[in-house]
Amino acid sequence: RKEVEQDPGPFNVPEGATVAFNCTYSNSASQSFFWYRQDCRKEPKLLMSVYSSGNEDGRFTAQLNRASQYISLLIRDSKLSDSATYLCVVSINTGGFKTIFGAGTRLFVKA
Amino acid sequence: GAGVSQSPSNKVTEKGKDVELRCDPISGHTALYWYRQRLGQGLEFLIYFQGNSAPDKSGLPSDRFSAERTGESVSTLTIQRTQQEDSAVYLCASSLFPGSDTEAFFGQGTRLTVV
């Protein structure tokens, strides 16, 4: 079983739609959680951290459920520019901390 | 620039040859990662360096792959006797310290094509 699992998609949505991505992680030593965004043929970049209380950044809302080992990302009012691959990321305590990336969920927002 | 720098940006090599990929992390970053990304696929963890600790090599796919890092500076990923399935983008990332809450910054990758 992969340490971080995501639905690969693709998700095809119209502009203005609300879309949600889910992610599960298997290692209970996971301590920090993130969503990264990767544009086509570009390197991944941090989108937002995910906190236990849930957090919001504009149209983006991230939530964490430690009991279920589940993370989500909600995008409201989708824009064409949101088209990208969204990577779920966990940081695992291995003595130090190792960052594990999920395989990503592709999103296509269409006019 | 102050970002993660990788070289070369593109490499075409013949099957069976050895290649060496280089990563210059952000100055002061103690943690360094190598990932592989095949076309249309997600990131595949290869190896993780954390300061002067023994590296986590659990992601290296075969003994043809090796990586080194001197202290907290440059890292090189070496692939011996390259195969066509090694064709991918190799991404390097670094983070300030191996804490749980630190952002990983990526280089732009080396696109390796084995012909």
Side-chain angles (χ1 to χ4, degrees):
Chain A
R1 183 184 173 188
K2 291 183 180 177
E3 294 199 77
V4 179
E5 298 218 45
Q6 297 182 248
D7 181 343
F11 284 62
N12 293 288
V13 303
E15 272 188 295
T18 296
V19 60
F21 304 137
N22 301 321
C23 169
T24 57
Y25 60 94
S26 60
N27 195 320
S28 59
S30 300
Q31 293 213 344
S32 296
F33 309 89
F34 311 88
W35 284 100
Y36 276 65
R37 170 186 169 137
Q38 185 175 26
D39 291 300
C40 187
R41 292 182 168 259
K42 298 285 189 180
E43 72 276 20
K45 292 185 178 177
L46 178 66
L47 177 65
M48 61 195 300
S49 299
V50 186
Y51 302 118
S52 297
S53 54
N55 49 298
E56 190 173 305
D57 182 1
R59 298 181 293 107
F60 297 82
T61 300
Q63 294 197 311
L64 167 66
N65 184 322
R66 284 187 184 270
S68 302
Q69 298 188 179
Y70 169 96
I71 306 159
S72 66
L73 177 68
L74 183 78
I75 306 175
R76 291 181 300 277
D77 188 22
S78 300
K79 310 293 185 192
L80 295 176
S81 57
D82 293 335
S83 297
T85 297
Y86 291 84
L87 303 166
C88 175
V89 183
V90 304
S91 182
I92 298 172
N93 188 348
T94 60
F97 288 94
K98 187 167 89 173
T99 301
I100 303 292
F101 283 74
T105 299
R106 285 185 152 185
L107 172 65
F108 295 99
V109 181
K110 299 183 186 291
Chain B
V4 177
S5 176
Q6 291 188 246
S7 61
S9 55
N10 282 283
K11 175 73 176 179
V12 180
T13 190
E14 291 181 352
K15 179 180 171 181
K17 296 285 178 92
D18 297 352
V19 295
E20 192 172 276
L21 312 180
R22 177 187 170 105
C23 173
D24 280 276
I26 294 172
S27 178
H29 280 199
T30 61
L32 186 147
Y33 300 81
W34 282 98
Y35 294 89
R36 178 170 70 178
Q37 188 169 34
R38 292 194 168 108
L39 186 64
Q41 304 295 311
L43 270 68
E44 178 185 358
F45 168 78
L46 296 177
I47 189 168
Y48 164 49
F49 294 92
Q50 177 189 317
N52 293 317
S53 302
D56 178 344
K57 303 180 180 181
S58 59
L60 294 178
S62 78
D63 60 7
R64 296 188 295 106
F65 287 72
S66 63
E68 292 188 352
R69 187 184 188 196
T70 305
E72 295 179 359
S73 61
V74 170
S75 176
T76 55
L77 176 69
T78 301
I79 308 172
Q80 296 178 309
R81 305 180 302 282
T82 52
Q83 304 295 313
Q84 288 187 327
E85 65 261 27
D86 298 335
S87 296
V89 175
Y90 290 82
L91 288 160
C92 175
S94 70
S95 61
L96 181 57
F97 49 80
S100 68
D101 211 19
T102 51
E103 178 181 354
F105 293 85
F106 282 83
Q108 294 196 326
T110 294
R111 186 174 299 276
L112 176 66
T113 304
V114 181
V115 297

